[in-house]
């Protein structure tokens, strides 16, 4: 299928996103592997804290996600100046929200961890890690806004190269701070937290320079004060359901980690280790889902509705083939891989017990990602929001608590509920896309605009002849 611009083809968009996600996976795996040399308790704290940070990112992901879709749509309809303004507002507003979160996390790490029922013996490590990494939440918010804006201009390579540099520096600094290498102090988990903040600061600097030159007209520092109430309203119209959707997923994951904390440190550590392995399963599929969202938004903005409709299915089938192969590899070699992270036989046994369920989980997750992102790309974000609200809270959280905690099925019961949630949301998104509600509406609007333009041209021609 032809697209309006070669750089918006699925493959050219997807492979740099995959490399970026793969490097993030390596970063997470290296983090987990290195932190495991400190203790399994430290791993549990990092896994728990990262769920907290992901939950809080939903407060600015509303702006970044909505802006990203609109940037691609505006560029598709050749409104580059509006796309530029939207990107500027996304970065400014995200930065402001990030500052507020940084202050809260830096000043109240212990209170937050206690509220989320973290085991008492993990509190000293959690307070250190949350205060340092959480204190840099502004950097996470800026990274999200900058990389989303850059990526939706069709430049997916820039964030990829930034991720490469960030990974190299992070691994080196982790090694130095954990083991006291190269003359650095041996700071353990505190060193991992400082390493994380330093790398994010460097990444924000590079991404900001890239962002300044991402559009036809260079962005200046003074432009960051630019604000359009109308365009920001458009961002929120698409973005707030995305923010609610993301917050549903992240907060349910945080609650699941809270359930696991009730079960014990071993269950919490096992889920953290398996989460690292699962990332390998779906990251290439997720990169395709992100790429197809950009591509469909661009085609939708350009009025190429039929192409946008077909591309979603193509991306879904490609992703399904990939995640199935990856999940099978994890199933076959998962025990050996878990052994790289820990020698605790109970934790390994818990992780191995979930490998077969992961083989069932990943295809459902892929359908959900591909079709959900396709709906988001055309602005049908409220549907994905409502399906997430209902399924995640009733099944991924409510049913998981009842089955896993009340009925005593533990980690296996909670995981089974997560699988059911993914398949329900994926099926609903697929049926919604087949209904073509937003696409048919856009098609009619495009035809009316085309006829109006033809009528105007015919009127101008007749006037010229007279």
């Amino acid at each position: 299928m032809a697209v309006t611009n070669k750089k918006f083809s699925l493959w050219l968009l997807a492979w740099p996103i995959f490399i970026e996600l793969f490097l993030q996976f390596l970063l997470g795996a290296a983090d987990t592997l290195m932190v495991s040399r400190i203790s399994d308790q430290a791993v549990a704290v990092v896994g728990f804290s990262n769920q907290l940070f992901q939950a809080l990112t939903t407060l600015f992901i509303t702006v970044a996600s909505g802006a990203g879709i609109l940037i691609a749509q505006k560029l598709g309809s050749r409104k580059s100046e509006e796309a530029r303004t939207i990107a500027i507002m996304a970065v400014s507003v995200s930065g402001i929200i990030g500052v507020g979160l940084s202050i809260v996390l830096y000043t109240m790490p212990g209170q937050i961890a206690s509220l989320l029922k973290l085991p008492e013996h993990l509190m000293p490590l959690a307070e250190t890690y949350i205060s340092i990494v959480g204190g840099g939440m502004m950097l996470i918010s800026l990274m999200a806004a900058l990389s989303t804006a850059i990526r939706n201009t069709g430049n997916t390579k820039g964030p990829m190269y930034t991720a490469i540099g960030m990974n190299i520096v992070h691994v080196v600094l982790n090694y130095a701070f954990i083991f006291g290498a190269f003359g650095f102090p041996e700071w353990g988990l505190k060193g991992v937290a400082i390493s994380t903040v330093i790398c994010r600061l460097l990444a924000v600097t590079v991404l900001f320079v890239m962002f300044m030159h991402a559009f036809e007209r260079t962005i200046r520092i003074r432009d960051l004060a630019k604000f359009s109430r109308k365009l920001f309203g458009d961002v929120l119209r698409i973005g707030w359901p995305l923010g609610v959707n993301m917050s549903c997923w992240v907060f349910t994951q945080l609650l699941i980690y809270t359930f696991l904390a009730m079960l014990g440190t071993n269950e919490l550590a096992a889920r953290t280790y398996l989460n690292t392995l699962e990332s390998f399963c779906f990251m290439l599929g997720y990169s395709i889902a992100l790429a197809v969202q950009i591509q469909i938004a661009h085609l939708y903005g350009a009025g190429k509705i039929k192409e946008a409709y077909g591309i979603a299915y193509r991306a879904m089938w490609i992703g399904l083939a990939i995640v199935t192969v990856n999940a099978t590899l994890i199933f076959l070699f998962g025990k050996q891989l878990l052994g790289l992270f820990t020698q605790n036989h109970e934790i390994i046994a818990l992780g191995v017990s979930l490998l077969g369920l992961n083989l069932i989980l990943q295809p459902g997750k892929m359908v959900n990602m591909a079709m959900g992102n396709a709906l988001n790309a055309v602005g049908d974000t409220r549907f994905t929001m409502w399906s997430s609200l209902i399924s995640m809270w009733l099944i991924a959280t409510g049913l998981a608590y009842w089955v896993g905690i009340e009925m005593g099925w533990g980690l296996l019961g909670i995981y089974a509920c997560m699988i059911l949630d993914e398949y329900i949301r994926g099926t609903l998104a697929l049926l919604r896309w087949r209904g073509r509600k937003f696409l048919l509406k856009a098609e009619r609007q495009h035809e009316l605009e085309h006829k109006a333009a033809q009528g105007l041209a015919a009127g101008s021609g007749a006037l010229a002849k007279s």
Side-chain angles (χ1 to χ4, degrees):
M1 294 183 182
V3 292
T4 52
N5 189 321
K6 185 180 178 182
K7 72 178 181 178
F8 284 93
S9 69
L10 185 64
W11 171 245
L12 289 179
L13 288 170
W15 77 261
I17 295 176
F18 166 67
I19 297 297
E20 183 183 352
L21 291 175
F22 181 67
L23 289 169
Q24 287 178 5
F25 162 74
L26 289 181
L27 179 66
D31 248 1
T32 306
L33 187 61
M34 289 183 176
V35 173
S36 70
R37 296 300 180 262
I38 300 172
S39 67
D40 287 325
Q41 288 76 19
V43 171
V45 165
V46 171
F48 182 89
S49 301
N50 286 341
Q51 289 299 316
L52 169 65
F53 300 146
Q54 286 183 33
L56 294 174
T57 59
T58 60
L59 296 174
F60 52 78
I61 213 71
T62 295
V63 177
S65 299
I69 291 169
L70 274 179
I71 288 168
Q73 288 184 2
K74 295 294 184 184
L75 291 175
S77 57
R78 302 185 185 281
K79 297 177 181 177
S80 60
E81 195 61 28
E82 289 188 12
R84 179 180 180 273
T85 300
I86 290 167
I88 290 169
M89 290 190 298
V91 171
S92 301
V93 174
S94 296
I96 292 169
I97 296 171
V99 169
L101 291 175
S102 293
I103 293 171
V104 172
L105 289 168
Y106 183 75
T107 56
M108 297 190 297
Q111 295 91 317
I112 293 170
S114 296
L115 184 66
L116 296 173
K117 307 297 182 185
L118 189 70
E120 190 65 33
H121 68 281
L122 297 178
M123 289 297 292
L125 287 173
E127 288 184 14
T128 299
Y129 192 79
I130 292 173
S131 64
I132 296 173
V133 178
M137 183 61 73
M138 181 187 71
L139 300 174
I140 301 176
S141 68
L142 289 174
M143 281 177 63
L146 291 167
S147 59
T148 299
I150 293 166
R151 198 180 289 121
N152 279 275
T153 65
N155 176 17
T156 52
K157 292 181 181 178
M160 176 193 73
Y161 292 134
T162 305
I164 291 173
M166 181 178 171
N167 272 267
I168 293 171
V169 174
H170 188 61
V171 169
V172 172
L173 287 180
N174 263 11
Y175 182 78
F177 281 125
I178 290 174
F179 303 109
F182 315 123
F184 281 79
E186 190 175 334
W187 278 344
L189 190 61
K190 177 183 176 182
V192 173
I194 292 172
S195 167
T196 301
V197 172
I198 291 172
C199 292
R200 285 175 178 164
L201 179 60
L202 293 173
V204 165
T205 304
V206 173
L207 286 171
F208 188 77
V209 173
M210 209 176 294
F211 172 73
M212 293 174 70
H213 304 283
F215 297 88
E216 290 180 6
R217 195 157 61 88
T218 302
I219 294 171
R220 308 292 181 188
I221 297 295
R222 62 176 179 272
D223 292 331
L224 294 176
K226 194 170 186 177
F227 191 86
S228 166
R229 183 177 295 180
K230 178 184 178 300
L231 289 176
F232 193 68
D234 291 340
V235 169
L236 291 182
R237 177 178 54 80
I238 291 179
W240 79 262
L242 284 174
V244 172
N245 189 0
M246 177 65 75
S247 67
C248 279
W249 185 82
V250 175
F251 277 104
T252 54
Q253 291 298 306
L254 185 61
L255 282 173
I256 287 169
Y257 265 77
T258 302
F259 300 161
L260 296 176
M262 294 178 187
L263 294 173
T265 301
N266 284 347
E267 284 79 2
L268 198 58
R271 173 58 188 157
T272 301
Y273 289 134
L274 195 69
N275 202 38
T276 301
L277 298 184
E278 283 179 15
S279 298
F280 171 75
C281 288
F282 74 84
M283 63 185 164
L284 184 49
Y286 185 50
S287 68
I288 291 171
L290 288 176
V292 83
Q293 177 176 296
I294 297 169
Q295 188 180 26
I296 290 173
H298 191 265
L299 289 169
Y300 182 79
K304 299 195 173 185
I305 309 303
K306 291 181 180 178
E307 291 182 43
Y309 179 73
I311 281 172
Y313 292 111
R314 178 177 169 232
M316 182 187 72
W317 286 114
I318 292 172
L320 276 172
I322 290 167
V323 300
T324 301
V325 171
N326 288 346
T328 302
L329 291 173
I330 293 296
F331 178 74
L332 293 174
F333 303 105
K335 184 175 182 179
Q336 292 87 335
L337 292 171
L338 286 168
L340 295 175
F341 296 104
T342 181
Q343 300 303 312
N344 186 315
H345 295 295
E346 187 176 344
I347 292 175
I348 292 174
L350 283 168
V352 168
S353 68
L354 299 176
L355 293 175
L357 291 177
N358 182 60
L359 195 56
I360 302 171
L361 170 70
Q362 295 305 322
K365 182 175 284 191
M366 184 65 232
V367 173
N368 186 24
M369 289 189 299
M371 305 318 295
N373 279 18
L375 290 171
N376 292 337
V378 300
D380 196 3
T381 54
R382 293 194 183 190
F383 178 82
T384 54
M385 176 192 73
W386 284 113
S387 62
S388 296
L389 276 170
I390 295 168
S391 181
M392 287 185 186
W393 287 110
L394 288 180
I395 297 168
T397 306
L399 187 61
Y401 179 81
W402 183 62
V403 172
I405 305 298
E406 295 294 329
M407 293 184 65
W409 287 24
L411 195 53
L412 288 173
I414 291 171
Y415 214 85
C417 294
M418 291 166 58
I419 292 172
L420 182 60
D421 165 59
E422 291 286 356
Y423 274 90
I424 288 175
R425 287 188 291 126
T427 301
L428 290 174
L430 179 59
L431 293 173
R432 179 72 167 187
W433 185 254
R434 290 185 66 181
R436 303 180 63 182
K437 178 181 177 181
F438 269 65
L439 292 173
L440 291 173
K441 181 180 176 181
E443 205 165 28
R444 287 192 294 268
Q445 181 65 30
H446 184 68
E447 287 174 0
L448 289 173
E449 290 175 358
H450 183 64
K451 287 178 181 178
Q454 284 182 327
L456 185 62
S460 300
L463 185 63
K465 287 181 181 179
S466 64

